[in-house]
Amino acid sequence: MTVTAAAGAVWLSRDDVRPVPLSRIISVELRKMFDTRSGFWLIASIAISAVLAAAGVILFAADDELTYSTFATAIRFPVVVILPIVAILAVTGEWSQRTGLATFTMIPHRRRIIAAKAISSVVIAIAAMALTFAVGALGNLLGAAVTGITPRWDVTITQCLYYVLGMVLSLLIGFMLGVLIRASIGAVVAYFVLTFLLPTIFSLLAAGSQWFHDVQPWVDIQFAQSGLFVFDKSLTGEQWANIAVTGMVWLVLPLLIGLRLVMRSEVK
């Protein structure tokens, strides 16, 4: 039987074997984000929290504060927390749910899997931003209709692009922590430390020390990126330099270390 099977086997050369297209891997990664109930409701919570934030502005904001920028700012707070967690779970699920062995067996090139996860996470972020902009616009129209005032659209296209860039950078920080730590709980805790605890410590140090007050924009990534969410002024060249330097230190370098660990780690 062995001889017969060997005689009937078809041997393919390397040129005859075509790799799985990256677009197909991305579509699979996008589908995996929605497959589980937890993943579905985590992404659905973006829309739910956006609606709740818009409703809160209509109910509690003063009439002179019912502007599009107010709705966009209110919606940002819950969304900026949820999006990085989506990116974290997209990466760490391969290790925490023990699916990595099957994934990396079917696609041995781990770089393609990580790239597909990054692209699919950014796609989710951009789709979420489009949804939140739409919810903010509807909230602005509804708030103006309820109070009898004229809708105020005080956000430019450039400021909207800044807003999207800030959200994508926040998501990539979560993605970086997922690649670096590869454990859901550890990466989520590290994200909250990096996002909430460290900026508080840096603010206290800046308030008590003049030299650190001058240095803070170059070492505090949250402080540096906060200008992307301010709608009433444009970023200066120095602020863009702050974003570049802190992004290199807190995002790019740890991500490179995490990618090296992913390429070398044993998948069980």
Side-chain angles (χ1 to χ4, degrees):
M1 293 178 64
T2 305
V3 175
T4 303
V10 178
W11 299 97
L12 299 176
S13 66
R14 181 176 297 180
D15 296 334
D16 295 328
V17 179
R18 296 181 180 179
V20 179
L22 181 61
S23 59
R24 188 182 304 170
I25 303 175
I26 294 172
S27 65
V28 171
E29 293 298 331
L30 284 170
R31 189 166 62 249
K32 286 164 65 176
M33 291 183 178
F34 294 90
D35 275 349
T36 62
R37 270 185 264 179
S38 60
F40 172 81
W41 284 109
L42 179 62
I43 296 177
S45 64
I46 296 174
I48 296 171
S49 62
V51 172
L52 292 176
V57 172
I58 295 174
L59 291 174
F60 301 109
D63 291 353
D64 59 344
E65 294 178 352
L66 289 176
T67 63
Y68 189 61
S69 62
T70 302
F71 284 95
T73 302
I75 293 173
R76 176 179 74 89
F77 287 106
V79 175
V80 79
V81 174
I82 298 172
L83 278 179
I85 296 177
V86 172
I88 288 172
L89 297 181
V91 179
T92 58
E94 302 293 352
W95 281 266
S96 61
Q97 299 177 13
R98 301 181 181 275
T99 60
L101 186 59
T103 299
F104 294 129
T105 299
M106 291 185 287
I107 309 292
H109 301 285
R110 299 184 186 183
R111 291 184 180 87
R112 304 187 72 208
I113 296 293
I114 299 300
K117 290 181 181 295
I119 294 172
S120 59
S121 298
V122 173
V123 169
I124 292 293
I126 294 176
M129 288 300 95
L131 177 64
T132 55
F133 282 138
V135 172
L138 291 175
N140 194 28
L141 292 173
L142 182 59
V146 170
T147 57
I149 62 175
T150 303
R152 282 174 287 179
W153 308 96
D154 55 345
V155 179
T156 65
I157 297 297
T158 301
Q159 291 168 338
C160 288
L161 294 177
Y162 287 170
Y163 188 96
V164 173
L165 176 60
M167 286 293 190
V168 171
L169 288 175
S170 298
L171 177 136
L172 290 177
I173 290 174
F175 181 82
M176 173 273 295
L177 292 172
V179 173
L180 183 64
I181 300 175
R182 301 187 304 282
S184 301
I185 297 177
V188 170
V189 170
Y191 170 73
F192 284 114
V193 169
L194 183 60
T195 305
F196 298 105
L197 181 59
L198 278 182
T200 302
I201 296 174
F202 288 152
S203 297
L204 293 174
L205 291 175
S209 175
Q210 181 60 40
W211 72 269
F212 191 82
H213 181 272
D214 299 333
V215 174
Q216 185 182 10
W218 301 96
V219 298
D220 186 352
I221 187 170
Q222 298 298 325
F223 184 87
Q225 294 180 6
S226 62
L228 294 171
F229 302 106
V230 178
F231 293 113
D232 57 352
K233 58 182 178 180
S234 301
L235 294 177
T236 64
E238 183 177 354
Q239 287 177 305
W240 283 114
N242 297 152
I243 294 173
V245 171
T246 54
M248 181 65 67
V249 173
W250 291 100
L251 177 59
V252 177
L253 291 180
L255 181 59
L256 293 176
I257 295 173
L259 289 174
R260 184 174 180 83
L261 294 175
V262 167
M263 297 303 117
R264 292 174 170 267
S265 64
E266 180 182 359
V267 181
K268 299 180 181 179

